Amino acid sequence: MRLSVGAVALLLASPVLADSLLPSREIAASAIEGYIRPAFHQFAEEAGSLRFTAGKLCEAPSEDALAVTRSQFGSTVISFSRVEFVRVGPLGKADRMERLLFWPDRKGIALRQVQAALAEKDETAAAPETLQEKSVAMQGLVALEYLLFGAGADTLAAGDDYRCRYAKASAALIAELAETLDREWGDPNGQGAHMLSPQPEFDDFRTDTEVLEKLAAT
């Protein structure tokens, strides 16, 4: 029996129902192994494909290459939407959520910063190793969406070198972080493993009830 994270919340809200169906540890295992880990793995695969297509667009610009990259961006966003609410565990650490999705952005910070980088051709935004040191608003899915779809994006098909290198750097950081999240969820000594087998001596997950409460709160 496999349960989604939403089903965990429903069961936790009704302890009698939960006790009648599955032990608490099996409920958590079903959510983690049946949904969370596969969903993060899918996000890592889609983000890796986005990194690849963005690289190909820069190597050989064309209308078709841009269309493929835009389509893969859409697939990546869809896969991320399936995990972005799982703030418990690796995604909730070290501003990772903000690095992937700087939202809501009520003041339009990402738009202003990305437009400024494009206007100035800021080389520190066009390489992953320096982009990752800049504002989180400049490096995630919101920034990449503007680079691929915003004003002037059609120039990517004609060989806009700077804009493409910036998009490629952003896609690379998204893919690297997605792969890190996938790896950490699968780590036999990581938070995912602690959730599957909580122990009193752990700093993060000490009891089965604590695991279920945190899953239900996502």
Side-chain angles (χ1 to χ4, degrees):
M1 180 176 184
R2 293 186 181 275
L3 300 175
S4 69
V5 176
V8 170
L10 177 62
L11 287 170
L12 188 61
S14 177
V16 173
L17 178 60
D19 289 343
S20 69
L21 292 177
L22 292 169
S24 57
R25 189 163 295 193
E26 192 170 344
I27 294 171
S30 183
I32 293 167
E33 296 177 338
Y35 181 84
I36 294 175
R37 281 176 169 171
F40 271 97
H41 183 68
Q42 180 65 30
F43 173 48
E45 289 190 335
E46 296 291 355
S49 294
L50 177 61
R51 175 175 53 193
F52 176 80
T53 58
K56 288 298 183 182
L57 172 62
C58 295
E59 290 174 12
S62 70
E63 293 286 351
D64 286 346
L66 178 56
V68 168
T69 304
R70 285 172 166 172
S71 176
Q72 185 56 43
F73 175 84
S75 297
T76 303
V77 170
I78 290 171
S79 67
F80 179 67
S81 73
R82 296 179 179 133
V83 300
E84 62 90 17
F85 67 94
V86 186
R87 308 297 174 86
V88 63
L91 184 57
K93 296 163 54 178
D95 297 325
R96 287 170 169 177
M97 182 61 199
E98 290 74 17
R99 285 181 58 201
L100 287 168
L101 185 67
F102 187 74
W103 188 263
D105 183 11
R106 297 181 179 89
K107 297 182 179 179
I109 295 171
L111 178 60
R112 291 201 305 273
Q113 292 183 350
V114 173
Q115 287 177 329
L118 289 170
E120 298 165 6
K121 289 188 166 36
D122 178 4
E123 286 297 328
T124 62
E129 59 272 16
T130 47
L131 177 58
Q132 68 182 346
E133 301 298 328
K134 299 179 77 65
S135 163
V136 294
M138 295 183 65
Q139 55 186 274
L141 292 165
V142 173
L144 184 54
E145 180 183 28
Y146 183 81
L147 292 168
L148 292 176
F149 297 92
D154 289 346
T155 60
L156 289 167
D160 186 334
D161 178 67
Y162 175 76
R163 188 172 189 136
C164 203
R165 286 189 292 116
Y166 184 1
K168 178 180 165 183
S170 180
L173 291 182
I174 292 167
E176 288 171 11
L177 186 46
E179 289 163 359
T180 296
L181 294 169
D182 181 35
R183 184 170 60 253
E184 290 187 7
W185 267 111
D187 184 351
N189 297 309
Q191 284 186 299
H194 286 188
M195 293 171 75
L196 290 170
S197 183
Q199 302 295 331
E201 64 270 19
F202 289 164
D203 292 332
D204 45 13
F205 299 102
R206 300 177 180 86
T207 68
D208 294 316
T209 299
E210 184 178 5
V211 172
L212 290 183
E213 288 174 346
K214 289 186 178 181
L215 280 173
T218 59

